[in-house]
Amino acid sequence: MHATETVLVVDFGAQYAQLIARRVREANVYSEIVPPTLSADEIAAHNPLGIIFSGGPASVYSENALVIDPQVYDLGVPILGICYGAQLIAQQRGGRVQRNGRGEYGKATMSLNDNGGCLLSGTQNSQQVWMSHFDAITHPPLGATTTAFTESAPVAAFEAPAQQIFGVQFHPEVIHTTHGQLLIERFIKDVCKSSAAWTMNSIIETARAEISEQVQGERVVCGLSGGVDSAVAAALAHEVLGDQLTCVFVDTGLMRLNEGTQVIETFEQNFGVRLIHVQAGERFLAALSGITEPETKRKIIGELFIRVFEEAQTQAGEAKYLLQGTLYPDIIESGGGHASTIKSHHNVGGLPENIKFDLIEPLRHLFKDEVRAVGRQLGLPDEIIERQPFPGPGLAVRIIGEVTATKVATLQQADFIVRDELRKADLEHEIWQSFAVLPDIRTVGVMGDERTYGHLVIIRAVTSEDAMTADWARISHEVLETMSNRIINRVPGVNRVAYDITSKPPGTIEWE
Ligand code: XMP
């Protein structure tokens, strides 16, 4: 069991379930997302301290409306319904939900009734909430009192403390709801009586206890990719495993400037981790020689990576376990919260699923920002913790056409300038990814009265939430000008710079 005190978030299909779970965790209580198809017994098996029903896109009147096993109300566990979740409670518990013909979307002003009940007492009589609903609760569940209302929602909040049932039509998890976090915390602390002991230290201690119990005296191997997830997983495990842990860092020669050295230094010098550093740059370049087709390049890199990793792994002794930086969203996306039954699809450094190891996934309960917080607590440097996503095939997918050592060196220098100027402009946290691309064309220019025929560098910088969609970053002309001048003056062979203004879709973030 990961944590004794767990609040379950039943996901009724809203995009907000993860946000609710995160808000609960910000209140120092562990939370897990579960599907509404669980029976009351299965829910009880999680031994939850409280249950939150999320919002959802459907109407309680629609044909395939998701419902919850009504016996869940008899478990004696406090329940808070949010939006659709609140409507469902009203419908299942003797209240009424109606289509009143006008929905309510966005900011709304809410007034209190009955002093706001347990969850809103002491807050302003008139306050801002964020709404997103079409149907409205017109009568609270039997035995519940209406504690707040808006112009379009006669029952914006209800409470039945004796039955431990609560509901809010608005979304407390979004920041536009003034007292949203307060409400969630009151539910967790005052109603569920949580001790709020899920802190960074307890996360680290629990994860370490689990690792040591699972591994016993066996050997563990971890593929360090240079990204934050595998770095944090390795740092977390190293303290418990010592020399039982061997990290393998395959330097493909296709990483950003100085990246390989930085990973090595962080792990060898700061943590004393046993590390196999494979310098495979030449092998990768040789394998890519003459190859221009993007998918072929990716396949060659993926396969060679595995080969090199396996060779190094043999050197690491017979490892029984593979340590991976799988995150909670990966687990949710693969269909549920039962980590042990899920086949991990998220492989550090592009390792295949058919490598025969048992997995250790100490971050499988955590969201990305929590992993970063753990990394900070463990003393990992900001350069690793704040690192942008980087594709497994590395610079090879940013060099259009054949990959050569000269092109890699050119791109590394240009790429460094792009990121360095963004850092100086204090823009790096607003940007999801920023890098340079080296297309396979040359253009004519003039430098110092001489004709030049040099390379073009494309600057790519995007904003995104999750890389599924992205927009080109509106970097100021001044910053772009500084980048352009510096690249042309400092990077030999480059005489022109362009900025990519394509969003995703229709483009992709990477060029190949
Ligand atoms: P695209 O180019 O498809 O990229 O818009 C979406 C995100 O995925 C990253 N990316 C990769 N990450 N292995 C990875 O681990 C890969 O082969 C790979 N290809 C693209 C890309 O950098 C962006 O963040």
Side-chain angles (χ1 to χ4, degrees):
M1 186 68 205
H2 176 70
T4 38
E5 289 190 346
T6 302
V7 167
L8 291 186
V9 177
V10 181
D11 181 2
F12 284 99
Q15 70 262 45
Y16 299 111
Q18 288 199 22
L19 199 50
I20 298 169
R22 288 171 54 173
R23 295 283 176 257
V24 172
R25 290 164 174 226
E26 278 165 25
N28 299 119
V29 180
Y30 178 62
S31 68
E32 248 179 47
I33 299 170
V34 293
T37 44
L38 294 193
S39 69
D41 283 346
E42 286 168 324
I43 287 180
H46 282 80
N47 194 20
L49 194 68
I51 303 171
I52 299 181
F53 295 171
S54 83
S59 159
V60 288
Y61 290 115
S62 71
E63 231 173 74
N64 347 329
L66 295 166
V67 292
I68 189 97
D69 179 350
Q71 292 194 342
V72 79
Y73 299 107
D74 302 326
L75 294 176
V77 178
I79 294 175
L80 169 65
I82 293 177
C83 195
Y84 176 85
Q87 294 179 359
L88 181 66
I89 297 175
Q91 206 201 30
Q92 289 185 316
R93 305 282 297 176
R96 198 179 308 157
V97 179
Q98 277 181 358
R99 308 222 108 166
N100 61 3
R102 70 199 159 115
E104 206 178 15
Y105 300 94
K107 288 176 189 169
T109 303
M110 182 174 80
S111 304
L112 299 186
N113 219 10
D114 202 24
N115 292 324
C118 317
L119 298 187
L120 287 165
S121 68
T123 62
Q124 296 97 326
N125 195 38
S126 171
Q127 55 188 272
Q128 181 181 294
V129 292
W130 201 82
M131 290 284 197
S132 179
H133 64 104
F134 189 73
D135 297 348
I137 305 170
T138 53
H139 294 79
L142 289 177
T145 335
T146 299
T147 52
F149 60 93
T150 68
E151 214 179 284
S152 303
V155 183
F158 62 76
E159 297 189 355
Q163 303 167 38
Q164 302 207 81
I165 289 174
F166 300 78
V168 289
Q169 180 61 70
F170 57 91
H171 287 270
E173 71 277 21
V174 305
I175 49 168
H176 312 291
T177 295
T178 311
H179 297 299
Q181 186 66 14
L182 176 85
L183 184 138
I184 290 173
E185 288 189 10
R186 284 191 176 168
F187 174 70
I188 291 166
K189 291 178 186 158
D190 301 346
V191 178
C192 301
K193 311 278 186 231
S194 153
S195 55
W198 195 73
T199 59
M200 260 325 122
N201 282 335
S202 81
I203 294 170
I204 293 171
E205 270 172 35
T206 312
R208 286 184 167 156
E210 278 184 358
I211 294 171
S212 100
E213 191 183 331
Q214 187 180 353
V215 172
Q216 302 291 338
E218 299 287 345
R219 289 190 170 278
V220 180
V221 69
C222 171
L224 277 184
S225 65
V228 60
D229 306 340
S230 60
V232 172
L236 192 60
H238 175 244
E239 166 112 358
V240 194
L241 298 175
D243 279 353
Q244 281 168 265
L245 173 69
T246 304
C247 291
V248 177
F249 175 64
V250 177
D251 192 339
T252 57
L254 301 168
M255 307 195 67
R256 288 169 285 199
L257 195 66
N258 299 332
E259 194 153 43
T261 323
Q262 195 187 31
V263 173
I264 305 295
E265 280 178 3
T266 303
F267 279 86
E268 266 182 345
Q269 295 175 7
N270 299 348
F271 289 94
V273 167
R274 180 201 282 256
L275 185 86
I276 298 179
H277 176 194
V278 193
Q279 291 277 19
E282 285 180 11
R283 279 175 79 178
F284 278 87
L285 276 182
L288 289 168
S289 168
I291 308 295
T292 55
E293 206 279 315
E295 278 311 298
T296 316
K297 279 187 189 171
R298 279 177 174 270
K299 281 212 182 83
I300 290 173
I301 294 169
E303 277 169 27
L304 184 54
F305 193 95
I306 293 158
R307 207 78 353 106
V308 175
F309 184 83
E310 282 174 340
E311 287 163 19
Q313 191 270 323
T314 315
Q315 280 178 48
E318 281 308 301
K320 178 170 182 210
Y321 293 102
L322 176 68
L323 178 72
Q324 290 213 123
T326 313
L327 303 190
Y328 190 44
D330 305 324
I331 302 276
I332 300 171
E333 274 153 32
S334 26
H338 302 279
S340 57
T341 63
I342 285 172
K343 193 165 188 289
S344 178
H345 67 265
H346 173 95
N347 294 302
V348 175
L351 299 177
E353 288 174 356
N354 62 5
I355 284 190
K356 292 290 173 221
F357 291 107
D358 286 350
L359 294 183
I360 306 177
E361 300 176 313
L363 311 179
R364 70 188 182 283
H365 298 295
L366 304 183
F367 291 108
K368 190 90 176 182
D369 50 351
E370 293 166 343
V371 169
R372 292 204 161 105
V374 169
R376 264 185 217 104
Q377 183 93 355
L378 295 173
L380 285 172
D382 275 357
E383 299 85 73
I384 288 194
I385 288 171
E386 300 297 340
R387 185 157 286 174
Q388 293 181 353
F390 188 66
L395 299 183
V397 293
R398 297 175 180 173
I399 292 172
I400 313 308
E402 187 186 7
V403 180
T404 64
T406 317
K407 286 186 188 170
V408 170
T410 302
L411 185 57
Q412 280 179 331
Q413 291 175 59
D415 179 72
F416 175 78
I417 292 170
V418 169
R419 288 180 301 117
D420 194 46
E421 291 301 332
L422 278 180
R423 187 185 52 78
K424 285 190 194 154
D426 210 13
L427 289 172
E428 57 190 340
H429 297 299
E430 289 166 36
I431 307 275
W432 173 268
Q433 267 174 299
S434 53
F435 51 89
V437 176
L438 190 62
D440 196 20
I441 48 173
R442 291 202 285 164
T443 74
V444 173
V446 52
M447 278 167 107
D449 296 336
E450 291 280 324
R451 177 186 189 271
T452 59
Y453 186 50
H455 290 287
L456 165 66
V457 160
I458 315 267
I459 299 171
R460 179 74 163 143
V462 297
T463 53
S464 177
E465 291 286 314
D466 52 11
M468 301 298 287
T469 60
D471 198 5
W472 56 279
R474 275 32 173 198
I475 297 174
S476 76
H477 291 175
E478 288 71 26
V479 173
L480 288 171
E481 182 185 21
T482 315
M483 286 177 185
S484 167
N485 287 340
R486 197 172 151 195
I487 291 173
I488 290 172
N489 285 313
R490 295 291 162 80
V491 185
V494 176
N495 68 348
R496 193 179 291 267
V497 173
Y499 189 48
D500 181 351
I501 52 167
T502 320
S503 60
K504 172 184 179 176
T508 51
I509 295 176
E510 304 291 347
W511 269 45
E512 281 194 344

